[in-house]
Amino acid sequence: MRIIGTQDLDAAAQAIEGGELVVVPTQRWYMVCADASNARACDSIITGKRRPSGKPLAYVAPSAASCEGVFTFSPAASRLAAAFWPGDLALLLPWKSPDDAARHAAVGSPALVTVDPGILGHLAARVKVPLAATTANISGDAGPNDPGPAVTIEQVHAFIAASGLEVSVIVDGGVCPAANHMTIVDCFMPEARLVRTGLVHQRAISVALGTEIRTV
């Protein structure tokens, strides 16, 4: 396992392209990443995290423009992407091609899509494969002493030990300050619905849409 700085993303990109796992920081917390089209790598993350079946990893796109040929955007999805991408918002979007959906089963159909403003987004722009990511923690509430997703390198190491994941590269970004989730909005149907609140506030979502958003 290599620990690298945030300026050395080439090593992280090469590991992802080689089918290996990488951990990178965001302002929220550390994320485990893999090639979204590599079923073996993605399945190892899901198994190691004890992630519930059917709960997708996030598809981290390099830009909003890169999504246009791959996903179908409703008017609501277009408004939210314009307002908050890059940012701490994920949209559930339908694939344009069933073949693409099948090749990227780990990120779901509809896919959970985001464009990250930091290191994770820079990695997505650098790799030559689609990037999948999820929080560096065991899924579910382990009790009152559960620290949640890792926000420090020490917590990343504890997660790796608990999960048994074989991680090739960790990008050291220091302490992740926000310790909060992305907001998730379901844009699969014409009327957008709020799935999970997070760093992008519900009021901000409603303002961008020009109407009060309902919850799922």
Side-chain angles (χ1 to χ4, degrees):
M1 182 190 308
R2 293 178 59 193
I3 298 178
I4 63 174
T6 57
Q7 303 304 314
D8 189 23
L9 290 184
D10 284 343
Q14 290 166 9
I16 294 288
E17 291 164 3
E20 300 170 357
L21 306 185
V22 169
V23 176
V24 303
T26 69
Q27 71 160 343
R28 302 178 303 277
W29 25 53
Y30 281 84
M31 306 283 284
V32 190
C33 304
D35 175 355
S37 64
N38 187 319
R40 180 198 57 79
C42 291
D43 287 347
S44 72
I45 295 176
I46 292 168
T47 300
K49 277 179 59 78
R50 278 73 119 184
R51 196 167 177 83
S53 175
K55 188 175 182 181
L57 308 181
Y59 181 105
V60 186
S63 66
S66 70
C67 296
E68 294 175 359
V70 182
F71 302 103
T72 299
F73 282 75
S74 66
S78 295
R79 285 194 288 270
L80 293 174
F84 300 113
W85 280 359
D88 297 299
L89 176 72
L91 303 177
L92 284 165
L93 297 173
W95 295 89
K96 287 189 173 182
S97 165
D99 290 340
D100 281 342
R103 280 194 296 269
H104 305 91
V107 297
S109 184
L112 183 65
V113 185
T114 190
V115 179
D116 190 87
I119 299 301
L120 183 61
H122 295 324
L123 179 60
R126 193 161 302 196
V127 293
K128 299 175 183 177
V129 295
L131 188 66
T134 185
T135 53
N137 67 307
I138 303 299
S139 294
D141 185 3
N145 297 320
D146 178 18
V151 298
T152 67
I153 285 290
E154 291 75 19
Q155 291 175 0
V156 168
H157 284 297
F159 159 69
I160 292 171
S163 66
L165 288 176
E166 295 184 4
V167 174
S168 295
V169 176
I170 300 174
V171 180
D172 187 353
V175 179
C176 305
N180 198 354
H181 286 288
M182 290 187 294
T183 299
I184 298 177
V185 177
D186 186 347
C187 293
F188 182 65
M189 303 299 289
E191 182 184 7
R193 295 293 181 96
L194 182 65
V195 176
R196 184 181 73 191
T197 57
L199 286 173
V200 180
H201 197 278
Q202 181 174 349
R203 289 175 58 196
I205 298 289
S206 296
V207 168
L209 291 175
T211 185
E212 192 71 24
I213 189 169
R214 301 181 187 184
T215 57
V216 171

